[in-house]
Amino acid sequence: MNGSGLIDYSPSQPEAVPKIPSAANLILVDNFDSFTYNVYQYLELEGASVTVYRNDEITLEELIALRPTQLVISPGPGHPDVDSGISKEAIQYFSGKIPVLGVCMGEQVIFSSFGGQVEVTGEILHGKTSPLRHDSRGLFAGLAQDLPVTRYHSLAGTHPTLPECLEVSSWIASGPDGGKGIIMGVRHKEFLVEGVQFHPESILTAEGRTMLKNFLKMKGGTWKENEQSQQTERTAGPPIGISKTGSVSSANGTSQPKIEALKPRSILDEIFENRRSGVEAQKQIPSQRPSDLQASYNMNVAPPQVSFSERLRMSSYSLSLMAEIKRASPSKGDIAPRIGAAEQARKYALAGASVISVLTEPKWFKGSIDDLRAVRQSLEGMPNRPAVLRKEFIFDEFQILEGRLAGCDTVLLIVKMLDEDLLKKLYLYSQSLGMEPLVEVNTLQEMTVALRLGAKVIGVNNRNLTNFEVDLDTTSRLMEGVPKETIICALSGISGPDDVQAYKNNGVGAVLVGEALMKAEDTGVFVDRLLGGSQKVKNGQQKHNVLVKICGTRTPEAARIAIEAGADMIGVILVEGRKRCVSKDTALAISETVHHTTKGGGDMTLSPETEETTEYFAHTATFFRLPERALLVGVFQNQPLSYIVYQQKLLKLDVVQLHGSEPIEWASLIPVPVIRRFGPYDPGLGRRGFHALPLLDSASGGTGEKQDIDAIRSVLDKDDGLRVVLAGGLDPENVGSILSGLSEYSSQIAAVDVSSGVEENGIQSLEKIRRFVKAAKEVLRRGN
């Protein structure tokens, strides 16, 4: 075997730690394996008093009489069902009474004892090392991922036969998504029983002594008893004292390594443990397994993304705002538990937020991945939409991929809860998905780690995650030495203008605000006051006349008269069988007229470009506003998509109007803006990202049937970002009064559409066309 690259992890001239009273009578059952001595040596070095018995030289009764403090089952040759002697009986008896550990065959005996099957793996390993993945609990507490471990086996427990009472605690990663391959460790869900398929006692296994040390810390027969014991030790405090260096001082003044069991558990520890178990359970659900998520990502179904760092630089305020959707927190309890994530996100976006932070932790913050998905959907089609941050306790690539598929543009990586190797791994993985992470720090040491990582956006949490105390000066203290190109974000505890003033002066790029925004009565006013009111002109403040569309046009002359009167759109019916349908030659003649006739009605200037976030329909309504000429609209109803696209090219249509039951998605496949007909209560009317404007009209259209004004009011009340084309029953005599009667919704009525209302005896009246345009244009209104 080639030894290049191998590392000897065996202790060099080791010194044994003092004997542990709770491990004064550990029994090691030897399954006739030479590695048993290595196991014995490591256990003794870690403070246990060990007695070894061969698996055929002691009975269960004799073993019980010895009253062991712990039981360890050694490696061994053969199959656990026929070659392990007393091992299986011993495990079955002592489980739930004392801590039990199985190594290699010992782990297989545990698997078999509780009803699982141990079978050939398909590969024979003799002294080979593999990178180990684990759940960071029990034996693996505090250990890094992908530790090299030594394997001597051809058998292993199988996933399909895993007993209900056991869980997989470690495994060999399989496939590009890092799924669970061969089982390398199991743990009983209730009893204090653990097993490892590899050899922690091998010189080629990293952290083998630490794993055995973690085992010797376990007390009781169940995990609940162990937790109670550990809790008692934590609350009792250190027996003698903790030095400034973090070591325990003994009575004679010497120092020993700090005992982790004495370290108080923070809320971060609790959240991390809860999320870890939740994520592992989620990975087992069909459709949510890592391989399932990867398959979806490979199909390019993840929503489009924006650059997180670049979006932070685009704010019209002197500081960028990261607005957080936060229903609750561990320190404050409920904040705004009934607020809907999508509605709140849209408010934040229109108030000027550069980033929307969505908490997806369910227990303490009452968030979910569904919130993230809804927020992203609510921003669909917005020009300059905010970036979406998944604010979560992330420790696994699975969570990053899940967030990307739900629509996030960036994720949070907390330095405090990740070792540097794992932090780098997650950082690079996030970048591989096109996302620059937000790296969170709270101390100078953590800032050093973030800078060494090369993070482009660093968030300084003003809240200490151990005790949840807030110090707003934390961000300013950690600014020294940070490269100018790195964006620093101040996180937590910000509630008003006074809190952000210092940040404006010392180069902070963004502030994250959650609780104060969630409780604000008027989001826009609060943001303006918080960040200094330096926004450009607000959306919808320019004054515009309503757009006018003359539909059912059948002659070039009628088109010319309408345009010279100031009409903005000329509609031609291209549905065979309809009485207003025009021939190909007539349609071509009308197209020529529309494209070469100068629009009358006075100057109509376009609104200036803005980098602000605007509503989707407020933006798309501007597509129909040209100062120099009218737009040609082709009206179709339940015709093939290929026919519609062909006619658009042939007739040089500026706009396509769909008046049937065509799929909403067709709007994305037609190369010009689409107006689509809806009834007031039809689903999809306000769907962003597809049709440029919805038209409210009857199903058949062109009948002169009047719309229900109360129904229109109801539609516009429910969605103040909606812009519509109003049709149905309009004529020169009533259009002005109807628009005036809807004056409170003036910014939402983008256009009016008329067909039969400008006809006499079924023929377009040129005089009525002029009167209709004039009456509609005289109703001056604000907005699009």
Side-chain angles (χ1 to χ4, degrees):
M1 173 176 148
N2 187 345
S4 62
L6 297 179
I7 300 176
D8 182 351
Y9 293 100
S10 60
S12 177
Q13 297 181 337
E15 292 184 5
V17 303
K19 290 297 182 182
I20 302 173
S22 59
N25 188 24
L26 187 151
I27 299 298
L28 172 58
V29 175
D30 176 20
N31 284 304
F32 292 86
D33 195 271
S34 59
F35 270 113
T36 301
Y37 177 75
N38 300 63
V39 177
Y40 168 86
Q41 182 189 37
Y42 271 30
L43 290 169
E44 285 278 344
L45 287 172
E46 293 304 328
S49 298
V50 185
T51 306
V52 182
Y53 292 93
R54 286 280 176 87
N55 68 21
D56 62 349
E57 70 175 358
I58 190 169
T59 65
L60 181 61
E61 290 74 19
E62 290 170 335
L63 200 52
I64 294 171
L66 292 173
R67 303 183 66 182
T69 52
Q70 289 92 359
L71 176 68
V72 177
I73 307 298
S74 84
H79 196 282
D81 290 344
V82 295
D83 298 303
S84 61
I86 193 65
S87 299
K88 182 175 286 190
E89 289 183 83
I91 288 171
Q92 291 172 338
Y93 177 82
F94 286 106
S95 292
K97 299 179 177 67
I98 60 173
V100 176
L101 172 65
V103 177
C104 199
M105 179 193 271
E107 186 264 357
Q108 296 172 6
V109 177
I110 291 173
F111 201 92
S112 176
S113 294
F114 291 101
Q117 295 180 18
V118 176
E119 298 177 357
V120 175
T121 63
E123 55 181 347
I124 299 175
L125 297 167
H126 190 79
K128 300 284 187 179
T129 60
S130 300
L132 184 76
R133 295 284 178 93
H134 57 77
D135 63 5
S136 300
R137 300 163 56 201
L139 295 178
F140 308 108
L143 301 185
Q145 296 292 337
D146 297 319
L147 292 171
V149 297
T150 311
R151 300 166 62 188
Y152 288 81
H153 69 103
S154 60
L155 305 174
T158 61
H159 284 283
T161 69
L162 178 71
E164 178 63 29
C165 63
L166 299 182
E167 61 185 359
V168 176
S169 59
S170 61
W171 60 93
I172 300 300
S174 174
D177 60 356
K180 291 183 178 178
I182 295 176
I183 295 173
M184 284 289 105
V186 293
R187 179 185 301 114
H188 199 284
K189 295 178 181 178
E190 179 184 0
F191 302 149
L192 220 165
V193 177
E194 293 228 38
V196 292
Q197 178 63 70
F198 58 91
H199 288 258
E201 76 285 1
S202 168
I203 65 171
L204 300 182
T205 295
E207 302 289 359
R209 280 188 67 178
T210 303
M211 296 175 199
L212 295 179
K213 181 191 298 185
N214 285 339
F215 171 70
L216 293 177
K217 291 177 184 177
M218 300 174 186
K219 296 179 182 179
T222 65
W223 294 108
K224 183 176 181 180
E225 290 173 355
N226 179 65
E227 175 60 28
Q228 290 172 343
S229 175
Q230 300 294 333
Q231 183 64 35
T232 300
E233 291 185 10
R234 285 194 291 268
T235 54
I240 300 172
I242 303 289
S243 70
K244 290 183 179 180
T245 61
S247 57
V248 179
S249 300
S250 61
N252 61 12
T254 62
S255 292
Q256 300 170 9
K258 183 168 62 175
I259 301 173
E260 287 298 317
L262 301 177
K263 182 180 177 181
R265 274 169 60 88
S266 69
I267 186 64
L268 182 61
D269 296 328
E270 292 185 41
I271 295 173
F272 177 51
E273 183 176 335
N274 181 269
R275 293 302 293 135
R276 185 175 52 202
S277 60
V279 168
E280 285 305 316
Q282 188 179 346
K283 286 181 179 181
Q284 309 307 313
I285 301 173
S287 81
Q288 297 186 44
R289 296 166 299 197
S291 58
D292 298 322
L293 298 192
Q294 187 62 47
S296 295
Y297 184 77
N298 292 344
M299 292 179 65
N300 294 308
V301 300
Q305 59 200 117
V306 299
S307 168
F308 169 49
S309 56
E310 290 305 313
R311 189 62 184 84
L312 283 172
R313 292 187 172 97
M314 288 174 58
S315 177
S316 56
Y317 290 109
S318 57
L319 279 177
S320 291
L321 173 65
M322 304 172 70
E324 187 157 89
I325 295 173
K326 184 178 186 180
R327 295 193 182 95
S329 75
S331 59
K332 297 293 181 69
D334 283 353
I335 295 171
R338 297 185 182 277
I339 280 183
E343 181 182 7
Q344 191 73 359
R346 200 169 281 174
K347 288 180 181 178
Y348 286 167
L350 297 175
S354 297
V355 177
I356 296 178
S357 169
V358 186
L359 279 151
T360 59
E361 192 283 325
K363 182 175 180 180
W364 283 271
F365 294 90
K366 297 187 177 179
S368 72
I369 194 69
D370 289 332
D371 284 338
L372 179 65
R373 192 173 291 111
V375 165
R376 178 62 183 85
Q377 290 172 351
S378 75
L379 305 176
E380 189 66 38
M382 277 189 175
N384 303 314
R385 71 165 175 85
V388 178
L389 163 68
R390 181 179 192 184
K391 188 103 177 279
E392 174 63 278
F393 299 85
I394 289 178
F395 50 85
D396 195 304
E397 293 175 353
F398 173 88
Q399 296 165 288
I400 298 175
L401 182 56
E402 179 190 41
R404 178 77 279 277
L405 286 168
C408 72
D409 302 293
T410 182
V411 295
L412 177 70
L413 299 179
I414 304 174
V415 174
K416 187 178 186 66
M417 64 177 282
L418 303 169
D419 65 63
E420 196 162 348
D421 287 342
L422 180 56
L423 173 65
K424 183 176 182 180
K425 180 180 179 182
L426 296 176
Y427 180 83
L428 293 176
Y429 180 70
S430 179
Q431 285 187 322
S432 76
L433 300 183
M435 298 189 294
E436 178 65 31
L438 172 64
V439 179
E440 179 185 307
V441 304
N442 176 251
T443 66
L444 184 59
Q445 181 182 9
E446 291 171 5
M447 176 64 84
T448 301
V449 171
L451 293 175
R452 188 159 57 234
L453 182 67
K456 297 178 182 177
V457 186
I458 299 175
V460 180
N461 198 339
N462 295 314
R463 190 185 305 278
N464 186 305
L465 291 179
T466 300
N467 56 29
F468 273 73
E469 293 179 355
V470 173
D471 179 0
L472 292 177
D473 292 330
T474 304
T475 299
S476 300
R477 286 197 301 269
L478 299 186
M479 290 286 293
E480 186 175 351
V482 175
K484 289 184 178 180
E485 62 272 17
T486 302
I487 301 174
I488 296 297
C489 310
L491 316 179
S492 295
I494 298 166
S495 58
D498 293 341
D499 297 331
V500 302
Q501 190 57 49
Y503 299 143
K504 292 181 180 179
N505 299 332
N506 63 15
V508 171
V511 292
L512 184 143
V513 184
E515 179 181 351
L517 267 175
M518 294 291 282
K519 293 180 176 179
E521 291 185 9
D522 187 312
T523 304
V525 170
F526 179 88
V527 171
D528 218 35
R529 289 175 179 170
L530 179 75
L531 299 182
S534 60
Q535 274 190 304
K536 300 174 183 177
V537 178
K538 299 290 185 182
N539 300 318
Q541 295 301 305
Q542 301 85 14
K543 292 185 177 182
H544 293 305
N545 295 107
V546 68
L547 298 171
V548 175
K549 175 172 172 277
I550 304 298
C551 202
T553 304
R554 280 158 281 178
T555 66
E557 183 185 13
R560 179 181 59 79
I561 293 298
I563 296 168
E564 290 176 347
D568 304 283
M569 290 176 273
I570 303 298
V572 291
I573 307 300
L574 301 172
V575 185
E576 290 187 11
R578 296 286 297 272
K579 66 179 182 179
R580 297 183 180 91
C581 181
V582 296
S583 68
K584 173 183 172 181
D585 290 342
T586 301
L588 286 169
I590 293 173
S591 176
E592 183 72 13
T593 299
V594 171
H595 285 88
H596 293 91
T597 302
T598 301
K599 186 195 294 186
D603 180 39
M604 186 197 295
T605 57
L606 294 176
S607 302
E609 291 293 326
T610 175
E611 290 188 351
E612 292 180 36
T613 299
T614 56
E615 264 283 12
Y616 170 76
F617 289 118
H619 173 69
T620 55
T622 64
F623 296 171
F624 306 93
R625 192 175 295 279
L626 287 183
E628 68 277 5
R629 72 172 181 87
L631 301 177
L632 181 61
V633 183
V635 180
F636 301 87
Q637 186 175 46
N638 298 327
Q639 291 151 287
L641 178 62
S642 58
Y643 176 78
I644 295 172
V645 173
Y646 173 77
Q647 291 294 318
Q648 184 276 319
K649 293 178 180 178
L650 176 68
L651 303 176
K652 299 179 182 179
L653 299 176
D654 299 299
V655 179
V656 163
Q657 179 173 319
L658 301 178
H659 213 87
S661 57
E662 299 88 354
I664 288 177
E665 295 94 327
W666 275 17
S668 300
L669 306 175
I670 294 172
V672 292
V674 170
I675 295 173
R676 191 184 190 283
R677 188 213 69 83
F678 290 90
Y681 302 111
D682 286 348
L685 184 152
R687 184 72 164 86
R688 274 70 167 170
F690 295 100
H691 44 276
L693 282 176
L695 179 142
L696 293 177
D697 196 4
S698 64
S700 54
T703 62
E705 179 183 343
K706 291 186 178 180
Q707 285 283 352
D708 182 344
I709 297 300
D710 289 336
I712 293 172
R713 290 176 184 274
S714 176
V715 168
L716 299 178
D717 272 333
K718 290 177 181 177
D719 186 350
D720 60 8
L722 192 62
R723 304 291 188 272
V724 300
V725 179
L726 189 62
L730 299 177
D731 59 40
E733 282 68 41
N734 67 17
V735 64
S737 61
I738 288 176
L739 287 176
S740 296
L742 292 170
S743 59
E744 67 268 40
Y745 307 102
S746 61
S747 65
Q748 294 180 263
I749 301 174
V752 290
D753 184 311
V754 65
S755 181
S756 62
V758 292
E759 293 179 349
E760 289 183 356
N761 301 318
I763 299 174
Q764 282 185 308
S765 165
L766 302 184
E767 180 59 28
K768 280 192 172 183
I769 289 174
R770 291 190 184 98
R771 287 169 48 212
F772 184 88
V773 175
K774 181 180 179 181
K777 292 292 185 179
E778 284 178 347
V779 183
L780 189 67
R781 61 192 188 79
R782 303 177 72 186
N784 293 312

